[in-house]
Amino acid sequence: MKVILKKTAKEFGVPVSEVRSEIDKAIEIGLSDPDPAVQEKWKTIPCIGDKPTAEELIAWAYSQIKNQSVS
């Protein structure tokens, strides 16, 4: 996951901490969506804590994309 964060940071010319911060903001926005269907989708993301970390979200998103390309 660190490689993905570093590549993204380099591509946008920002520090890795900013990439992680923006992903964290997106997670917060997603988790606060009032739509029950969106809430259910967020619950499918495996995470250790109350909400996924940037790395957990990236890993989950990667697995979703990988599974779609296999189908």
Side-chain angles (χ1 to χ4, degrees):
M1 294 310 125
K2 289 183 181 185
V3 171
I4 293 170
L5 292 170
K6 285 181 182 180
K7 284 184 177 183
T8 303
K10 184 176 181 180
E11 181 178 335
F12 288 95
V14 297
V16 172
S17 60
E18 186 172 336
V19 174
R20 182 176 272 110
S21 175
E22 291 299 317
I23 294 171
D24 288 341
K25 286 179 191 176
I27 291 169
E28 290 298 327
I29 290 168
L31 289 171
S32 64
D33 191 303
D35 184 339
V38 172
Q39 290 294 320
E40 286 303 312
K41 188 66 172 177
W42 277 97
K43 290 178 185 176
T44 67
I45 301 171
C47 60
I48 293 173
D50 294 339
K51 62 182 180 180
T53 63
E55 289 81 3
E56 289 169 332
L57 180 61
I58 292 168
W60 174 81
Y62 174 79
S63 72
Q64 296 299 298
I65 293 166
K66 185 178 175 184
N67 289 339
Q68 286 180 357
S69 65
V70 172
S71 301

